[in-house]
Amino acid sequence: MKIGCIQLNVRFGKVDENFERAEQFIRKAAQGGAEIIVLPEMWNTGYALEKLSELADENGERTKAFLSKLAQELAVHIVGGSVAIRVGEEFFNTMYTFNKEGELVGEYSKVHLFRLMDEHLYLQAGDKMNRFALGDIEAGGVICYDIRFPEWLRSHALQGAKVLFVPAQWPTPRIDHWKTLLQARAIENQCFVIAVNRISRKVENFNGQSMIIQPWGEVLWTGADDEELAIIDVDFSIVDEVRTRIPVYDDRRPNLYEEVVKS
Ligand SMILES: O=C(O)CCC(=O)C(=O)O
């Protein structure tokens, strides 16, 4: 299956321009044969947290209409990264996923807000999982800082996800954490990890290095440190093979650690 990863150079606070450029890349990815297309985190606004009252998408309506229309027209699944949305007086960092029929199959608001960049001062946290299917592919999705919480990704894997999508705006100074954590999440959950980071060179500092990692831990692709569209072939059938070879899920001892994980 071909995955189109859009390592978008998100323009800070320039919502219309970001929509226009996202559309160009989505069309290009579909023309190039991508069957699942993935965008990065907060691609409508960038980290313009102080301007959310002007910029955030009201109930996510614009984003949902945009992604649904393109998914249906181009007959591609779209894991729509995430966008800043407004619901009443509150703001969320929300990921929408549409299948190739244009139906909304996943809606998820980032659960772990990143305090180092003041997200908790501007955003509300979500409180729901993000499990969905794209055709016969069982998937889950989390956002950026969420990857520092292995139990959260494990919960998605335990609920059947065989591929985890991770849109992000992960800053350059901690890019080694990004790479190591993503690889660990793929190996420990024996699943594919498809992680798309953004680019920014001006107000912010994000240098891409998106990754596709297979369940044995092998890195199939690492993005450049500039804007890029990559179309990468993956074979999801190897998940079951890896899980049979080292039967981690059967060997778990949840009765021993459940209380520790919950506390
Ligand atoms: O955990 C990190 O170091 C980066 C997280 C982050 O930038 C985010 O969640 O937006």
Side-chain angles (χ1 to χ4, degrees):
M1 188 146 204
K2 285 191 162 53
I3 316 294
C5 298
I6 300 175
Q7 213 177 239
L8 192 68
N9 185 348
V10 178
R11 309 292 206 253
F12 185 85
K14 301 245 163 64
V15 175
D16 289 342
E17 199 177 325
N18 289 327
F19 267 89
E20 239 167 72
R21 303 187 71 255
E23 177 166 355
Q24 286 164 10
F25 274 108
I26 290 170
R27 289 188 179 282
K28 214 164 154 188
Q31 273 162 20
E35 295 159 270
I36 301 178
I37 297 175
V38 192
L39 288 162
E41 182 184 9
M42 297 264 280
W43 60 264
N44 61 339
T45 57
Y47 247 121
L49 296 175
E50 288 173 5
K51 296 188 181 167
L52 288 183
S53 54
E54 283 162 56
L55 301 177
D57 188 0
E58 194 75 37
N59 297 311
E61 294 305 339
R62 177 177 182 181
T63 309
K64 285 188 276 186
F66 170 81
L67 295 175
S68 174
K69 178 178 168 290
L70 285 172
Q72 193 178 23
E73 179 192 327
L74 303 170
V76 289
H77 304 300
I78 303 181
V79 179
S82 77
V83 288
I85 67 161
R86 177 186 198 132
V87 180
E89 289 312 303
E90 297 184 324
F91 300 93
F92 296 86
N93 179 348
T94 300
M95 176 173 179
Y96 297 114
T97 300
F98 285 84
N99 66 17
K100 64 186 167 80
E101 285 75 39
E103 298 159 344
L104 181 66
V105 292
E107 175 167 353
Y108 169 74
S109 292
K110 189 175 186 178
V111 157
H112 303 96
L113 298 178
F114 190 47
R115 290 200 239 185
L116 186 64
M117 290 174 91
D118 286 343
E119 286 185 353
H120 64 302
L121 302 180
Y122 297 93
L123 298 168
Q124 301 299 314
D127 57 6
K128 293 193 176 55
M129 292 185 65
N130 191 22
R131 267 280 291 120
F132 52 87
L134 296 173
D136 57 4
I137 299 156
E138 295 298 334
V142 297
I143 301 175
C144 202
Y145 182 50
D146 283 334
I147 65 168
R148 289 190 186 269
F149 301 85
E151 56 275 51
W152 189 229
L153 281 77
R154 172 67 107 206
S155 305
H156 287 75
L158 287 171
Q159 300 258 324
K162 293 184 175 179
V163 48
L164 293 169
F165 293 96
V166 186
Q169 42 181 356
W170 194 282
T172 309
R174 291 181 303 284
I175 206 70
D176 288 345
H177 293 196
W178 160 256
K179 293 182 176 176
T180 306
L181 290 168
L182 291 172
Q183 209 167 359
R185 298 298 84 90
I187 295 169
E188 72 199 359
N189 293 303
Q190 301 178 313
C191 67
F192 274 88
V193 169
I194 298 179
V196 175
N197 194 19
R198 59 172 288 210
I199 298 290
S200 172
R201 288 277 170 273
K202 288 188 180 159
V203 185
E204 307 158 293
N205 185 11
F206 302 100
N207 70 334
Q209 312 289 304
S210 301
M211 296 179 94
I212 297 185
I213 304 159
Q214 52 98 301
W216 198 247
E218 190 191 336
V219 177
L220 297 181
W221 168 69
T222 303
D225 62 0
D226 216 335
E227 189 167 67
E228 134 169 65
L229 161 67
I231 299 176
I232 311 295
D233 240 320
V234 302
D235 174 7
F236 289 124
S237 73
I238 67 166
V239 174
D240 292 338
E241 203 179 297
V242 170
R243 290 184 181 183
T244 306
R245 193 154 168 213
I246 302 186
V248 163
Y249 288 88
D250 295 337
D251 292 342
R252 292 177 71 243
R253 304 281 308 278
N255 54 321
L256 295 181
Y257 32 77
E258 222 158 50
E259 288 313 312
V260 181
V261 170
K262 278 188 179 155
S263 64

